[in-house]
Amino acid sequence: MSKIDQVDEFADQEDEGLLLLGMEGDERERFEPAIIGIAHRFGMQPIVAYDYRKVIEVFAEDMEYEEAEEYFDFNVIGAWVGEGTPIFIEVFE
């Protein structure tokens, strides 16, 4: 089962509206390798957790890495779309 399928299944079971990066289909699948799992927060609904660096690497497939970082910081990190907005985690080595 893919990570996207797991997120969708969790959302159905918990009756939560979880947001994924990208639109339907192929765009969502581009970011699938960056999905870490579901983040549970005290007093708030669960959200999808992404690996911060892996998301930037996906953007870097279409542009220079520094451009991808800037794009990510401005267009993704700076885009609050409600309680279901994903979280981006800097994973330590």
Side-chain angles (χ1 to χ4, degrees):
M1 179 182 292
S2 74
K3 291 179 183 180
I4 292 173
D5 290 340
Q6 291 177 61
V7 169
D8 289 341
E9 183 176 292
F10 178 87
D12 288 343
Q13 288 174 350
E14 300 295 318
D15 197 27
E16 296 285 351
L18 299 176
L19 299 176
L20 291 164
L21 289 180
M23 304 306 246
E24 298 295 319
D26 292 343
E27 187 66 22
R28 287 174 55 175
E29 290 172 4
R30 283 186 67 204
F31 293 99
E32 184 173 18
I35 295 173
I36 297 170
I38 304 294
H40 297 267
R41 306 171 295 165
F42 181 77
M44 302 174 83
Q45 77 178 58
I47 53 176
V48 178
Y50 284 91
D51 181 313
Y52 182 90
R53 292 286 160 208
K54 286 184 180 179
V55 171
I56 294 172
E57 289 171 8
V58 171
F59 285 119
E61 293 171 2
D62 300 326
M63 58 187 82
E64 296 294 323
Y65 192 84
E66 288 178 6
E67 276 183 286
E69 285 181 305
E70 186 177 314
Y71 181 87
F72 176 74
D73 287 342
F74 185 77
N75 294 291
V76 178
I77 293 294
W80 174 260
V81 290
E83 287 296 316
T85 301
I87 190 169
F88 303 93
I89 299 171
E90 289 196 50
V91 178
F92 297 136
E93 298 294 323

